[in-house]
Amino acid sequence: MIRSDHLLEVRNLEVVFPTREGTVQAVRGVSFTVDAGESLGVVGESGSGKSTLARAALGMIELPGRIAGGEILWRGRSLLDKRVARRIRGREISMVSQDPMASMSPILTIGTQMTEVMTRHLDIGRREAFTRAGDLLEKVGIPDPGRRLGQYPFEFSGGMQQRVVIATALSCDPMMLIADEPTTALDVTTQAQILELISSLQKDLGLALVLITHDLGVVAGACDLLKVLYAGEIVESGTADQLFHRPRHPYTAALLGSTPRLDVKADRLMAIEGHPPDLRHVGGRCSFTPRCPHATTRCTTESPVLQPSEAGRAYACWNPLGGREAPELPTARAGHG
Amino acid sequence: MGRYLLKRLSQAVLVVISVMVVVFVVTRLIGDPVAVMLPLEATEENRALLEAQLGLDRPILAQLGDYVADAVRFDLGDSLWQRRPAIDVVLERLPPTVLLVAAGFSFGVLLGLVIGIVSGMRPGGWVDRGAVTLGLLGVSLPQFWIGLVFIVFFSVGLGWFPTSGSGGIEHLVLPAVVLGLPVVGRIALVTRSSMIDELNAQHVKDATGRGVSRSRIVMVHALKGAGIASITIAGWELIGVLAGGAVVVETVYAWPGIGFTAMQAIERHDIILVQAVVFVVAIMVVTINIIVDVAYTMLDPRVKFDRVS
């Protein structure tokens, strides 16, 4: 037992994947904490290490992946210990993943898959678990749960199936829910409903929520705190309000510029030029340098560390954007609506 | 389901009839039973007389017509060799074959499943490598050769089992194992690869994240999916064992079943008995096929009868 005042505390986490062509450093020195009832958004593009981070927080890094350094503490217990992680998964921390149709076995009924977790972790029998599963389905907005429990995943629509997955994740009253791109595979109207459901459940149940996404629009309403991940590192963190209105890191600003918004009139969305760096060869400089419009010589020779600045926010950049006013973003986002 | 079964049954009848027609024509084209039945010094008249007795002098289409008309009433003619109804000979020899096939097939499927599951859980490990090698050996070694090697080794050398014949359980062991070895190999290889696919599937990773135990993931989630692939293969294996393996293995071990009988009938040009054996085996094969397809639809909820037809 290590002392930790937080629900989840990740310290200096390093996750690597050895490949024939070199070691991929998927997560590089990431630290953050999640407290009870808090909602944290982790934002990054594909390959930024966000899903690896999610799996690490569930103690699910699989070979050939390896945790090369750091610590993950869940209420003071190390999740790097597989036995601890096994007991906690599903019981205290649960997850919802991207594609609801692929998330459950296609050949077992919803009822079977909902109850198997409960009978394992809670001290209840099958009959009681089925009753509870029915109640949960009702709570996530699925009508006629009694009949639905006997059906298979392919008999549900994507949105309905994601509700089932969420209900299953919450079936053992966990303290934290990790949602890895929970709306990406759904159509836009369904996305909003699922997000709303997650948010309201989070508030009702006092859940801690880690919402992982590439889509800033998704975290906008759902999360209080945000971490922006780039090339396996946190490049900026702060409240949703701070990051949305005064991004300091050029990458955060560029992400904002590439996200369609209703409240801002934009002639066109700005793509971020270039590609994320090769994660086998990183370090010794700022990873964003090749794509950064503000890069200087210092950025290419020295790696910036995450520096706390005003009011609980932090960023890792040698040339942060803007002062206190709205920054000059590298986008066509002129004219606030 | 009723309509589906009816459709499959009528198809099965067609298959059996087609098989019988082919066998009927082929047996009459490739050999002359009369020449085998009569002594060498028989005259032309003797030959003509016997041909007339057996009805072999008539046009082949007329013979076929009579044969089909009789076969519908389960009268398959008298065995030329044993001089009694051929169907009686076959049915008499059927139980030993059923026993041998059941033993060999169960041995093959059970051992194949176990090997497949264990090696699929850790692909690339030493257990897996050993299992794949064993599987490939089982698939590729010819049964008549393994059969003889086993006799030399286990019967003649170690004296553990009798060399051939039937009787107690000790007579059953060697032929059943030899019959089941290719089944072990193929079931193991197929189960292994579908276990690997299943265990790498997203739903298995997510089930782990939801807190489903590893043992339940392997034995319920992955195995049910892998089992669907294996049962299709198992159906084919059963057919192979019954229609192919049994003939070879029964002959090697002088096991008094229909496979051995078929060999004896062929040697004696007893075309009536050959036809009877093929008839019974064909019926069993189409029945197994229907059972496998029904089992498949019951195991996999995504497959429904109305969608199949």
Side-chain angles (χ1 to χ4, degrees):
Chain A
M1 199 84 142
I2 303 165
R3 196 175 150 63
S4 170
D5 300 326
H6 305 280
L7 209 49
L8 179 73
E9 180 169 4
V10 174
R11 291 181 189 163
N12 264 321
L13 187 69
E14 309 264 350
V15 184
V16 297
F17 290 86
T19 68
R20 211 165 291 176
E21 288 85 28
T23 300
V24 173
Q25 295 170 278
V27 174
R28 302 186 292 141
V30 166
S31 303
F32 65 91
T33 62
V34 182
D35 292 326
E38 202 172 72
S39 59
L40 171 70
V42 177
V43 186
E45 64 196 293
S46 311
S48 60
K50 55 193 196 302
S51 291
T52 306
L53 200 58
R55 281 204 294 278
L58 285 156
M60 278 173 62
I61 295 295
E62 281 174 13
L63 289 171
R66 187 167 61 82
I67 293 184
E71 186 59 88
I72 308 168
L73 298 174
W74 172 255
R75 302 204 295 157
R77 283 168 296 171
S78 172
L79 286 176
L80 302 186
D81 182 338
K82 294 241 180 256
R83 277 168 310 170
V84 173
R86 265 203 294 275
R87 264 203 309 278
I88 284 169
R89 269 201 302 266
R91 178 72 190 88
E92 296 181 27
I93 311 177
S94 202
M95 68 166 275
V96 171
S97 73
Q98 180 166 344
D99 183 355
M101 295 325 261
S103 190
M104 282 188 159
S105 167
I107 50 175
L108 297 172
T109 61
I110 297 301
T112 304
Q113 299 189 65
M114 286 188 77
T115 52
E116 64 186 355
V117 184
M118 287 187 254
T119 49
R120 180 180 183 214
H121 288 298
L122 307 176
D123 192 20
I124 59 175
R126 266 175 59 83
R127 186 173 299 248
E128 204 182 324
F130 265 97
T131 316
R132 211 177 134 88
D135 296 346
L136 282 160
L137 286 187
E138 201 139 38
K139 201 189 267 178
V140 297
I142 293 180
D144 198 3
R147 187 176 60 89
R148 289 301 217 166
L149 282 174
Q151 294 185 325
Y152 294 90
F154 66 85
E155 296 174 83
F156 289 72
S157 69
M160 279 295 158
Q161 179 59 26
Q162 193 63 305
R163 286 171 193 264
V164 173
V165 173
I166 291 169
T168 312
L170 299 180
S171 62
C172 298
D173 288 327
M175 283 174 259
M176 185 169 90
L177 180 69
I178 297 177
D180 186 1
E181 302 267 14
T183 59
T184 308
L186 306 173
D187 65 67
V188 180
T189 43
T190 319
Q191 281 187 4
Q193 292 167 7
I194 293 295
L195 273 179
E196 210 163 288
L197 175 69
I198 292 178
S199 279
S200 72
L201 286 170
Q202 189 239 333
K203 290 186 183 82
D204 291 354
L205 305 173
L207 272 176
L209 173 70
V210 177
L211 184 57
I212 292 169
T213 178
H214 67 281
D215 185 351
L216 278 168
V218 166
V219 288
C223 299
D224 310 324
L225 297 171
L226 296 185
K227 309 272 172 200
V228 178
L229 215 56
Y230 185 76
E233 287 177 309
I234 294 177
V235 294
E236 182 160 14
S237 72
T239 65
D241 192 51
Q242 287 167 337
L243 264 62
F244 270 92
H245 294 107
R246 292 185 304 278
R248 302 298 302 270
H249 197 286
Y251 178 64
T252 313
L255 264 186
L256 281 168
S258 64
T259 306
R261 292 176 64 169
L262 286 177
D263 58 334
V264 176
K265 217 193 238 161
D267 294 330
R268 51 181 302 201
L269 289 171
M270 299 301 292
I272 307 176
E273 297 295 327
H275 301 280
D278 184 341
L279 289 174
R280 289 167 302 184
H281 313 287
V282 281
R285 64 169 188 178
C286 170
S287 305
F288 192 57
T289 306
R291 306 168 82 179
C292 183
H294 306 278
T296 59
T297 339
R298 190 180 187 192
C299 304
T300 63
T301 54
E302 230 178 311
S303 184
V305 285
L306 198 63
Q307 293 286 349
S309 71
E310 84 276 16
R313 65 183 300 180
Y315 50 85
C317 182
W318 296 126
N319 308 301
L321 296 170
R324 303 170 54 210
E325 295 307 307
E328 73 292 5
L329 297 181
T331 67
R333 290 177 50 216
H336 282 247
Chain B
M1 168 119 181
R3 266 193 62 196
Y4 173 76
L5 273 184
L6 204 67
K7 190 177 164 186
R8 288 302 308 265
L9 280 176
S10 45
Q11 284 171 347
V13 170
L14 266 179
V15 169
V16 172
I17 291 176
S18 317
V19 168
M20 290 320 293
V21 169
V22 170
V23 172
F24 188 90
V25 173
V26 169
T27 45
R28 271 153 190 76
L29 290 182
I30 56 169
D32 181 6
V34 174
V36 182
M37 291 169 76
L38 289 175
L40 278 174
E41 62 275 18
T43 61
E44 249 342 276
E45 286 101 75
N46 294 141
R47 286 183 51 86
L49 192 68
L50 187 58
E51 266 189 1
Q53 268 178 14
L54 298 174
L56 294 174
D57 54 340
R58 299 166 58 219
I60 197 158
L61 274 179
Q63 294 182 38
L64 180 62
D66 284 359
Y67 182 74
V68 171
D70 288 343
V72 175
R73 283 169 283 145
F74 282 93
D75 176 7
L76 298 174
D78 284 356
S79 159
L80 305 177
W81 161 42
Q82 302 212 359
R83 315 224 171 239
R84 57 192 182 111
I87 189 78
D88 290 356
V89 179
V90 176
L91 293 181
E92 215 175 270
R93 296 289 194 96
L94 191 57
T97 295
V98 170
L99 175 68
L100 177 62
V101 166
F105 179 70
S106 329
F107 161 74
V109 170
L110 289 179
L111 188 59
L113 276 179
V114 170
I115 292 178
I117 294 168
V118 172
S119 59
M121 279 168 67
R122 279 186 198 280
W126 64 269
V127 176
D128 179 46
R129 278 168 216 213
V132 170
T133 312
L134 202 74
L136 286 173
L137 279 180
V139 171
S140 32
L141 291 178
Q143 279 174 315
F144 73 87
W145 184 78
I146 304 184
L148 293 174
V149 169
F150 275 20
I151 290 176
V152 169
F153 196 73
F154 292 108
S155 306
V156 179
L158 295 169
W160 289 356
F161 303 104
T163 52
S164 63
S166 67
I169 185 99
E170 70 276 11
H171 287 88
L172 182 61
V173 175
L174 285 188
V177 168
V178 173
L179 191 58
L181 274 183
V183 184
V184 174
R186 269 185 292 265
I187 294 278
L189 293 178
V190 169
T191 307
R192 171 186 178 270
S193 67
S194 33
M195 279 300 279
I196 293 174
D197 287 349
E198 288 287 326
L199 287 173
N200 280 321
Q202 186 63 39
H203 68 80
V204 161
K205 291 188 178 136
D206 286 6
T208 310
R210 280 196 298 273
V212 182
S213 67
R214 175 79 182 165
S215 58
R216 194 171 160 89
I217 283 177
V218 171
M219 297 313 290
V220 178
H221 290 235
L223 188 55
K224 193 169 180 197
I228 289 171
S230 304
I231 197 163
T232 319
I233 299 297
W236 282 108
E237 288 303 320
L238 181 53
I239 289 169
V241 163
L242 186 66
V247 178
V248 174
V249 174
E250 286 184 6
T251 308
V252 170
Y253 286 92
W255 184 265
I258 53 173
F260 190 34
T261 305
M263 278 304 292
Q264 290 174 317
I266 290 168
E267 281 165 7
R268 290 165 174 78
H269 276 276
D270 186 345
I271 52 178
I272 306 292
L273 188 52
V274 171
Q275 282 166 184
V277 170
V278 172
F279 179 71
V280 169
V281 170
I283 288 178
M284 288 165 80
V285 166
V286 294
T287 311
I288 292 166
N289 243 323
I290 294 176
I291 292 174
V292 167
D293 284 354
V294 172
Y296 197 78
T297 53
M298 290 197 293
L299 260 179
D300 191 339
R302 291 167 297 186
V303 182
K304 292 270 183 284
F305 290 109
D306 45 336
R307 279 183 233 162
V308 172
S309 55

